[in-house]
Amino acid sequence: MNAADTPLAEAPATGTADARPVVLEAKDLVRTFSSGSALNPTRVSAVDGVSLQLRAGEVLGVVGESGCGKSTLARMLVGLDRPDAGTLSYRGDDVTAGRRRDRRLLRRGVQMIFQDPYTSLDPRMTVHDIIAEPMAAARTARAAERTERVAELLGLVGLSDEMMGRFPHQFSGGQRQRIGIARALALEPDVLVCDEPVSALDVSVQAQVINLLGDIQKRLGVSILFIAHDLSVVRHIADRVAVMYLGRVAEIGDTDAIYERPAHPYTQALLSASPSLSRADRGRLSRRRILEGEPPSPVNPPTGCRFNPRCWMSTEECRTTVPLLREIPEPLPLERLVACHRAEDAVTAAA
């Protein structure tokens, strides 16, 4: 694989943590944007102190409401946005500063699959040129070798090499997304960051693309960070899940722990509200939780826990003190961290 000569960082041995090495690690990432007028500027905190690890060969799902910072986080992880604070490490190397060597390592080793297959492909380029462009930019192969590699990648994503001379408008949405996946694999990356890759596709096509990503992950051993709104899709593909709310991680851990015993009230509300989860999954929650009101503005977020204005378990501590991600006693051999002062009570209430 690309950058194979760079040693991987070891995952910390906390609780029942996975022993696989860490490929990509974010520590306290912060990203803010300016809004408003020049006379009355405001700062919007899109990502505020997010930390997570992506291990070799795993799939980490990221879920949350629109506007919670998932896409901004994805752009920072692939180097499209530079964080205002915090650090990003790839295969043990700090690449936050954006030096030329760091950018080269990150761009070759971490690739992105975008949400919209209609706008992420240049309509003036053929399929061959779209997929070969990363190889040409990185100077990893000669022209003849690039053509051979393009044919190989098209076969990997279930398309014929006879399609190399066609243009994006000649393909369906699902086929375009397959072309985008082939392009992302051109440099043999360690990590694929998928920013809601199936949300713009028909339901019948979504399952095909999800299964394709699962097959690629098993066949090539790549790590995948998978962002999605559909909780059932995330459960199908992810080994671990991170739940984000208003720029922060509310809960992160093994998929079974998150779905079977959610410890954060927000996670419980998401699972309860999902129309696509099975009856058995919804039945694990003792009562249906309905979120009231809209998420607070990221321009002026609440003090303490950012979920406290909508939380039915909120206390004075929740309104004044920011909860840190922490482990809670887990009867099953599962890994999970929760940012909630009353996580133990929430687990008991949902059992």
Side-chain angles (χ1 to χ4, degrees), residues 8-206:
L8 294 177
E10 293 296 325
T14 57
T16 56
D18 195 321
R20 288 178 290 184
V22 175
V23 181
L24 193 64
E25 181 175 17
K27 289 184 179 179
D28 300 319
L29 290 185
V30 175
R31 186 71 172 100
T32 58
F33 297 94
S34 298
S35 64
S37 65
L39 297 177
N40 186 26
T42 57
R43 301 291 287 175
V44 178
S45 178
V47 173
D48 187 11
V50 169
S51 298
L52 52 81
Q53 296 177 335
L54 185 62
R55 299 160 182 153
E58 82 163 341
V59 180
L60 173 62
V62 179
V63 300
E65 293 174 276
S66 296
C68 72
K70 302 186 300 296
S71 293
T72 301
L73 174 63
R75 291 179 62 84
M76 285 192 288
L77 293 179
V78 299
L80 292 177
D81 277 351
R82 186 176 298 180
D84 298 317
T87 60
L88 176 64
S89 299
Y90 169 63
R91 298 181 69 90
D93 290 333
D94 186 347
V95 296
T96 315
R99 296 181 296 266
R100 179 176 296 180
R101 175 183 177 274
D102 296 337
R103 292 197 304 268
R104 185 170 62 250
L105 284 175
L106 195 63
R107 288 172 180 173
R108 291 189 61 176
V110 183
Q111 289 288 312
M112 192 165 184
I113 299 172
F114 295 91
Q115 176 179 0
D116 189 352
Y118 293 92
T119 60
S120 61
L121 303 179
D122 191 330
R124 299 167 298 179
M125 298 175 66
T126 64
V127 169
H128 173 277
D129 292 342
I130 288 171
I131 300 175
E133 185 178 30
M135 294 181 278
R139 300 179 181 177
T140 58
R142 298 177 181 176
E145 295 171 335
R146 291 199 292 267
T147 298
E148 183 178 344
R149 176 66 174 156
V150 169
E152 177 186 344
L153 289 168
L154 286 173
L156 182 64
V157 299
L159 298 177
S160 170
D161 58 4
E162 297 177 354
M163 299 177 176
M164 281 193 286
R166 300 181 188 177
F167 291 87
H169 73 271
Q170 297 176 280
F171 296 91
S172 66
Q175 289 174 323
R176 292 189 194 192
Q177 197 60 291
R178 289 172 186 264
I179 295 168
I181 294 172
R183 177 180 59 185
L185 294 171
L187 296 180
E188 302 182 33
D190 299 312
V191 178
L192 293 178
V193 176
C194 305
D195 185 12
E196 301 193 47
V198 298
S199 62
L201 305 179
D202 293 338
V203 174
S204 59
V205 181
Q206 290 182 7

Side-chain angles (χ1 to χ4, degrees), residues 194-272:
C194 305
D195 185 12
E196 301 193 47
V198 298
S199 62
L201 305 179
D202 293 338
V203 174
S204 59
V205 181
Q206 290 182 7
Q208 298 174 18
V209 175
I210 292 298
N211 290 335
L212 172 62
L213 287 171
D215 292 340
I216 288 173
Q217 191 277 325
K218 293 176 182 177
R219 182 171 176 178
L220 302 181
V222 297
S223 304
I224 296 177
L225 187 132
F226 189 91
I227 295 172
H229 278 100
D230 193 327
L231 295 175
S232 62
V233 168
V234 172
R235 177 156 204 186
H236 174 74
I237 194 173
D239 302 307
R240 292 190 301 134
V241 177
V243 181
M244 288 188 64
Y245 184 79
L246 208 62
R248 293 178 178 170
V249 174
E251 186 169 5
I252 183 170
D254 290 342
T255 300
D256 289 342
I258 300 297
Y259 281 79
E260 295 182 13
R261 293 173 59 84
H264 197 287
Y266 177 61
T267 309
Q268 295 178 5
L270 281 183
L271 293 173
S272 178

